[in-house]
Amino acid sequence: MDLKDQLKNLFPEHEESAEPIKEKSDIWLQDEPIICKYEKRKGKPITILEGYNGANQDFKKLAKEIKKMLSVGGSFKDEKIIIQGDYRTQIMQLLKDKGFKVKRVGG
């Protein structure tokens, strides 16, 4: 007996939803890809996102969401998001899930 069967026994009146609820993004999506690149500054790895041509508030919201999801530090300056550490794959997957086009640059 797996977990689904156990849950059905506990809650027989519950109907399982077939499609997941997709939240609508309040961030403006652009046609051009966001550039995701990796650098080392003072020997420490960082991930840089650039190329977003929307409003600064949207980009700051996106930066905050990325930092919160990865539990890392970072900043937003000069129309770039700088994240501490090499998190290109996780950030690119998050942006693709939100509907952005992402281009990986460097190694």
Side-chain angles (χ1 to χ4, degrees):
M1 181 177 253
D2 66 342
L3 184 62
K4 281 189 177 183
D5 294 334
Q6 291 176 2
L7 287 173
K8 284 180 185 176
N9 289 340
L10 288 173
F11 305 103
E13 68 277 350
H14 178 73
E15 294 179 13
E16 193 174 318
S17 61
E19 45 187 75
I21 300 171
K22 199 171 190 181
E23 62 183 57
K24 179 145 171 84
S25 177
D26 58 346
I27 299 174
W28 183 76
L29 300 175
Q30 66 182 18
D31 294 332
E32 295 84 31
I34 293 178
I35 307 297
C36 183
K37 62 183 179 179
Y38 168 79
E39 283 185 12
K40 277 195 173 182
R41 293 187 182 169
K42 297 182 183 178
K44 303 197 181 203
I46 61 169
T47 304
I48 300 174
L49 298 172
E50 59 185 18
Y52 185 71
N53 56 12
N56 279 346
Q57 295 296 3
D58 289 344
F59 214 35
K60 286 181 183 180
K61 250 189 236 180
L62 188 63
K64 185 175 182 177
E65 189 175 331
I66 290 171
K67 291 189 296 184
K68 188 175 180 181
M69 182 197 76
L70 296 172
S71 301
V72 295
S75 66
F76 170 80
K77 60 171 100 168
D78 300 329
E79 297 184 359
K80 295 180 185 177
I81 296 176
I82 300 170
I83 302 293
Q84 297 173 354
D86 184 11
Y87 293 101
R88 288 178 288 178
T89 54
Q90 293 97 325
I91 292 172
M92 288 175 64
Q93 187 60 46
L94 172 76
L95 292 174
K96 286 179 183 176
D97 291 343
K98 288 192 158 296
F100 286 98
K101 294 178 186 172
V102 186
K103 187 172 186 181
R104 185 178 181 139
V105 176

